[in-house]
Amino acid sequence: NNWGIFNSASSPTILDSTITGTGVGTAGLRMNGGNPLIKNTTISGKNGSNGQGINTSGGGTHVVKIDRSSIIGDAGTGSSISSTDNYDFFVGASMLDGDVDVFGSAEIDCAQSYDGAYIDLNAACQ
């Protein structure tokens, strides 16, 4: 797997950064726990078909806050955010370019956010 950053159960502030994962099994940010705060940052996963911006795993309950950032997956088949675990995402004034695949016990809330075509997303980031 190729990840731009692998976060294991820490709670970093990721500020004013550009993070890209490329290659097979790619994600810009792969999370195994933790509660990051992401501000003014671009996170992308690119491998030509199904790269993911953010991908999660890990037990417990986690909170991810994203503000004024761009989360980008591969066009057409990649996800901006992919999570099936106990993650709560709060996204404000940000671009989510790619599908938002948040299901199972994961939840997501968007405010003043938009997709890659600059179309407003609703509160469920759709």
Side-chain angles (χ1 to χ4, degrees):
N1 293 311
N2 296 296
W3 304 313
I5 290 180
F6 177 71
N7 183 60
S8 182
S10 67
S11 300
T13 296
I14 302 171
L15 180 64
D16 299 324
S17 300
T18 299
I19 301 162
T20 303
T22 60
V24 176
T26 192
L29 173 60
R30 170 71 170 145
M31 294 185 51
N32 184 22
N35 303 291
L37 172 62
I38 301 164
K39 285 187 165 190
N40 300 321
T41 292
T42 298
I43 298 174
S44 61
K46 300 290 184 178
N47 71 1
S49 64
N50 62 354
Q52 300 172 340
I54 297 175
N55 179 280
T56 69
S57 68
T61 300
H62 310 285
V63 175
V64 180
K65 294 182 180 178
I66 301 168
D67 188 35
R68 296 181 312 273
S69 296
S70 297
I71 312 299
I72 304 166
D74 273 321
T77 57
S79 301
S80 56
I81 298 174
S82 179
S83 181
T84 60
D85 305 297
N86 296 324
Y87 284 83
D88 293 329
F89 289 89
F90 296 96
V91 181
S94 295
M95 176 193 291
L96 300 181
D97 190 0
D99 293 340
V100 176
D101 297 325
V102 176
F103 44 91
S105 55
E107 296 184 16
I108 190 165
D109 294 302
C110 276
Q112 299 177 340
S113 295
Y114 49 93
D115 66 13
Y118 293 89
I119 297 171
D120 289 334
L121 297 173
N122 63 21
C125 301
Q126 300 295 318

